[in-house]
Amino acid sequence: METVRAAWEALVEAAALREEDGFSTAEVDGAWEDPRRSELDEDAFLASIRLRYPWRRIAVLSGGWLLGCVALHGVAHGIIHASVAKDILAAMPPEDANIYLAEHVVSWVHGAIMGIGGLWAVAGVRLFDDSVTRPYPPILDSYYACHLGYTLYDLVTMALHGGETPSMWAHHIAGVVGSALMPCLRSLAFIPTAFFITELTVLPQNVLWFCQRLQVDRSSLFYRGLLFARAVFYLAFRAPALFFVVLYAWRRGLRPARFLKLPGYVQALVSVILGGLGFLNTQWSQQVVTTYITSELTVLTS
C-alpha cells in the first residue's frame, strides 16, 4: 500500500508541473499569496498565457474521478434494482431502468460536489475577490478533474441511452473542453468555477426525475413542491449566472481592454463558453418556470 500511495502522490504532485511542463511557481501554487502584484504585472501575465499540457496530472486526476463515477454507478444500480418493485422497473423504458436510474444517482452526487465546491470557492473562502485572472491554487485541479471525469462518464451513458437533446450534448462538450483546458491555462478560473454553481439545480431536478419514473402522483403536494423547488433553484442559480459572472469579473478589473490582452484563442474560447452557457441557462430556466406554471394551472383548473 505504501508503494501505491507513493506512486500516486508522485503522479499528482503539483510541483511536478514546474519540472515537466514549465509552469512558474506562481502558476502552480496560485498567486493569491501576493496581493501586491501591480496591474502592469497582471496585464503582462495575461499576454504571456500559453497552453502547456500537464497530461500526466490531468489524466491521473480525471481518470480517478471517472473510475469513481463508474464504481458509484455499479453500486447504485445494484441497490436500486434490489429495492424497487419489479413491476415498476418493468413499466419503465429499458434504457431508463438499466442505465439512467443509476446515472441519476451519480449525477446527483456530482451536482452536489460541483455546486457546493463552486459556492465554497466564490462565496466561502472568496478565492477570486482579489483577482479573477491570477493563477488558481492546486486544490482546484481536483475540482476540474472531477467535472472532466464525470462528464466523460456521462457522455458514455448518454450515448448508450440515446434521446438526449442537442443542447445537453453541447453543455457536456463545453464542460469537457473547459475542464480539460483549465489546468493548462491555470488562469481565468473564476469563470468555470462560478458556472459550476449552477450544477446545484441538479439536486431537485434528479429527485423529480426519480419521482416521475417511480410513478408518484403528479397532482400531489409533494410533487408540486418539487416542481416549485426546481423552478426556484433555476431562477436562483442558472438564470442570473451569466450576468453574475460578467458583473463580478468587471468589478475586479476584467474590462474589455484587459480581456483583449489575452491570446486570441483564449478570447474566442471564453466568448463561446460565456455565450453558449448563458444561452442554455436562460433557455432551461424559462422551460422549467413554464412547466411549473402550466402544472399548477392544470391542477387548479381540474
Side-chain angles (χ1 to χ4, degrees):
M1 285 300 295
E2 285 300 319
T3 303
V4 173
R5 180 180 177 183
W8 171 264
E9 290 177 349
L11 283 172
V12 301
E13 174 58 48
L17 293 173
R18 286 193 288 270
E19 299 169 6
E20 298 185 9
D21 300 294
F23 291 96
S24 68
T25 300
E27 287 175 306
V28 174
D29 297 334
W32 286 272
E33 300 300 324
D34 184 10
R36 297 168 296 178
R37 287 180 56 170
S38 68
E39 289 189 5
L40 180 61
D41 291 333
E42 194 154 336
D43 288 347
F45 168 72
L46 292 178
S48 69
I49 286 178
R50 59 189 175 88
L51 284 178
R52 285 146 295 176
Y53 298 94
W55 292 116
R56 184 178 68 174
R57 182 171 171 79
I58 294 173
V60 170
L61 290 173
S62 58
W65 282 104
L66 172 60
L67 292 176
C69 289
V70 173
L72 179 57
H73 183 107
V75 171
H77 180 84
I79 293 174
I80 290 170
H81 280 256
S83 305
V84 177
K86 300 300 181 184
D87 59 326
I88 294 179
L89 291 173
M92 296 180 194
E95 58 270 22
D96 281 351
N98 296 324
I99 300 174
Y100 264 13
L101 282 176
E103 184 276 342
H104 274 63
V105 173
V106 181
S107 171
W108 196 96
V109 173
H110 167 262
I113 291 173
M114 300 309 296
I116 294 171
L119 284 175
W120 168 83
V122 174
V125 294
R126 306 180 75 89
L127 281 179
F128 307 102
D129 269 10
D130 180 50
S131 170
V132 296
T133 58
R134 294 182 189 172
Y136 63 78
I139 188 173
L140 290 188
D141 272 344
S142 293
Y143 184 64
Y144 302 128
C146 173
H147 190 60
L148 178 57
Y150 163 79
T151 307
L152 292 173
Y153 148 83
D154 211 34
L155 284 171
V156 174
T157 66
M158 287 167 56
L160 293 174
H161 183 278
E164 289 294 350
T165 62
S167 63
M168 186 59 68
W169 281 99
H171 176 262
H172 278 56
I173 291 171
V176 169
V177 172
S179 298
L181 286 180
M182 282 315 304
C184 303
L185 295 172
R186 307 201 74 79
S187 181
L188 298 170
F190 165 73
I191 294 172
T193 304
F195 272 115
F196 283 143
I197 298 173
T198 64
E199 292 297 315
L200 288 171
T201 59
V202 168
L203 305 186
Q205 173 70 48
N206 283 16
V207 175
L208 190 63
W209 187 90
F210 272 106
C211 288
Q212 293 167 350
R213 297 310 182 277
L214 297 177
Q215 303 175 16
V216 172
D217 181 5
R218 299 196 179 196
S219 64
S220 67
L221 185 60
F222 175 70
Y223 186 88
R224 292 162 61 193
L226 282 175
L227 283 176
F228 176 73
R230 183 179 68 170
V232 169
F233 269 60
Y234 269 75
L235 288 175
F237 299 117
R238 282 202 184 273
L242 178 61
F243 176 76
F244 169 75
V245 167
V246 172
L247 180 62
Y248 190 101
W250 180 277
R251 288 179 172 177
R252 285 155 183 82
L254 189 56
R255 307 289 174 83
R258 177 164 288 174
F259 181 77
L260 291 174
K261 293 183 182 296
L262 289 163
Y265 66 89
V266 177
Q267 295 178 38
L269 282 170
V270 171
S271 299
V272 169
I273 289 175
L274 282 176
L277 291 181
F279 172 76
L280 290 176
N281 286 330
T282 301
Q283 182 186 53
W284 289 341
S285 299
Q286 181 182 10
Q287 291 173 352
V288 162
V289 172
T290 300
T291 298
Y292 170 68
I293 294 173
T294 303
S295 175
E296 281 299 292
L297 290 175
T298 301
V299 171
L300 293 174
T301 57
S302 61

